[in-house]
Amino acid sequence: MTISRFRQLWTHRYHKYSHIFKAVWLGYMAALKFLILKSELKKGRKLIAIIRTEHFGDIVAAEPLSRHVRSLHPEAYIVWFVKPAFSELVSYNPVINEVFGEFCVTQRRTLLKTGVFDEVFELQFKNNNQCAKCDVFTDNPVAEQRGINVLNYFNFGNLLNVFAKTSGLLPVDESFAGDDKPRLYLQDQHRLKVDSLGVLKPYIVIHCQSNFAPKDWPAARWEQLIEWLTANYNYQIVEIGLKSNLNVSTTSYTNLCGKLTILETAEVIRRANFFIGLDSGPSHLGNATGTYGIILMGALVTFSSYNPYSGGYGSQENAVFVRKEGLACAELSFEFVQDEVKKVLDR
């Protein structure tokens, strides 16, 4: 072994094990905090954990379950576990008592093993329960017992139904019967931020890149679509997301990528006349805000056809899915997408 390789190996091990040590320590500190909290709760009041740490579209899709858990346990102290980057999606939810910003899976596993929580509802399965630094996965026993995993989860319904079943809140052969429209809890600060942007109505919001390449539509076709839209309709085009991969020069286009928080993005979508995007986080914001959605979708891994949404997008009362059975999103032609968009805008 060379000196360089030796240094790399031990540098990796140092960072890995120092991370694990920190995670375990934070887990026990959190357990102590919740033990103290529990001792101060009224006798008989349950301490409940809801675990949905990522991704932000999944957290939005799972929101109805927070209200469902509250209806089952009206007096409970409910804690939602989430990655800090997505905490704003839960922070303003009035049925949640506390948001726990999770450091990593090892911290959570350490905390839960103490048994401080009276009930735990885990709205995810093994592939969502990984810490790359720790190189650790943790299983969800309910999902394991029911055979729900990343290869088959859409066989159990939309995301809301899947999460309800992985948590044990819903029998595996039933569908969620409550109010299934996800809600966002937008604040004045989000509205004021969007006021300051000066985006003129009417406008269409577009979202062109997901966090999973097989869900995407080629940038060149998005550019064609924008050119066609601005030439034929009186709409401004506003792009949202983390970053843009488009080359657009028209003055009718505004790039807000990377400039907004998640809930500020939701407020931009809420004010739009239409949302045109992919099966991705922002489409769930569109569903929650009630903006009509035109969703480009395709076959995904083992699913030739699927529906991730509940609410108005799920029923397609407030959305249209642009897809062809068995084709990936990238395989949808510009002409096909153009025709489907035209049907909606001309309606």
Side-chain angles (χ1 to χ4, degrees):
M1 181 182 293
T2 64
I3 292 295
S4 175
R5 177 61 185 141
F6 179 82
R7 286 175 177 168
Q8 288 174 358
L9 176 63
W10 283 98
T11 299
H12 169 75
R13 287 180 177 175
Y14 169 77
H15 288 299
K16 175 180 177 178
Y17 290 113
S18 60
H19 175 88
I20 291 172
F21 176 83
K22 181 178 180 181
V24 171
W25 181 78
L26 288 173
Y28 283 122
M29 289 300 98
L32 178 61
K33 168 190 176 297
F34 284 117
L35 279 169
I36 294 171
L37 169 67
K38 193 172 182 180
S39 71
E40 296 171 346
L41 295 178
K42 183 180 177 181
K43 187 175 180 180
R45 189 181 183 192
K46 287 186 174 182
L47 182 61
I48 291 177
I50 299 176
I51 300 170
R52 183 71 230 181
T53 60
E54 56 177 334
H55 301 276
F56 87 75
D58 293 349
I59 295 168
V60 175
E63 185 277 336
L65 294 179
S66 67
R67 289 178 273 129
H68 181 61
V69 172
R70 175 58 71 195
S71 71
L72 296 174
H73 305 279
E75 300 301 320
Y77 189 95
I78 301 175
V79 180
W80 188 296
F81 284 57
V82 68
K83 288 188 174 180
F86 307 128
S87 62
E88 66 173 314
L89 287 168
V90 191
S91 296
Y92 305 105
N93 186 329
V95 305
I96 300 299
N97 296 99
E98 183 174 340
V99 177
F100 182 76
E102 181 178 286
F103 177 70
C104 80
V105 167
T106 297
Q107 179 204 25
R108 186 206 320 154
R109 187 161 64 176
T110 302
L111 168 57
L112 296 183
K113 277 184 177 180
T114 65
V116 65
F117 286 93
D118 297 301
E119 292 199 51
V120 177
F121 299 109
E122 187 157 356
L123 315 183
Q124 50 198 47
F125 34 87
K126 187 172 182 177
N127 74 303
N128 301 122
N129 284 325
Q130 178 195 17
C131 175
K133 287 188 176 181
C134 296
D135 194 23
V136 163
F137 282 92
T138 185
D139 291 325
N140 174 351
V142 176
E144 290 287 309
Q145 188 271 327
R146 294 180 169 187
I148 304 174
N149 57 57
V150 69
L151 297 176
N152 67 9
Y153 62 102
F154 276 127
N155 296 338
F156 294 85
N158 59 39
L159 289 175
L160 176 62
N161 279 296
V162 171
F163 301 152
K165 292 170 185 179
T166 63
S167 64
L169 285 165
L170 190 67
V172 75
D173 58 348
E174 293 185 16
S175 294
F176 188 77
D179 178 5
D180 70 348
K181 183 183 185 301
R183 298 179 188 174
L184 293 172
Y185 301 93
L186 299 171
Q187 307 295 302
D188 286 344
Q189 67 205 55
H190 308 123
R191 291 183 276 272
L192 290 171
K193 171 66 177 182
V194 177
D195 286 345
S196 73
L197 298 174
V199 178
L200 300 177
K201 294 193 72 172
Y203 67 87
I204 296 171
V205 167
I206 62 170
H207 179 246
C208 308
Q209 292 185 88
S210 72
N211 65 354
F212 188 50
K215 294 182 179 181
D216 292 347
W217 198 49
R221 287 177 218 167
W222 279 111
E223 291 166 0
Q224 278 185 280
L225 185 66
I226 293 169
E227 182 180 357
W228 171 75
L229 284 169
T230 55
N232 291 278
Y233 295 93
N234 185 34
Y235 290 109
Q236 297 288 313
I237 306 299
V238 178
E239 185 182 2
I240 53 91
L242 290 177
K243 61 180 180 180
S244 177
N245 62 345
L246 305 184
N247 183 15
V248 179
S249 58
T250 175
T251 56
S252 297
Y253 163 82
T254 300
N255 179 6
L256 294 181
C257 293
K259 300 176 182 179
L260 305 171
T261 68
I262 296 172
L263 289 184
E264 289 167 356
T265 300
E267 177 63 14
V268 170
I269 295 172
R270 187 188 69 80
R271 300 184 188 195
N273 296 76
F274 298 96
F275 171 86
I276 305 177
L278 309 161
D279 167 25
S280 60
S283 65
H284 290 277
L285 299 180
N287 190 22
T289 57
T291 298
Y292 193 92
I294 304 171
I295 312 301
L296 281 58
M297 298 175 67
L300 178 66
V301 193
T302 60
F303 310 109
S304 61
S305 182
Y306 68 100
N307 181 354
Y309 308 101
S310 61
Y313 279 21
S315 65
Q316 295 183 63
E317 294 175 3
N318 199 38
V320 60
F321 296 163
V322 180
R323 61 183 175 187
K324 286 187 175 181
E325 187 79 20
L327 288 186
C329 187
E331 297 178 277
L332 299 176
S333 69
F334 167 72
E335 291 75 18
F336 173 70
V337 173
Q338 177 191 44
D339 187 54
E340 294 301 302
V341 173
K342 187 175 189 299
K343 288 177 186 176
V344 174
L345 299 190
D346 290 351
R347 199 156 54 200

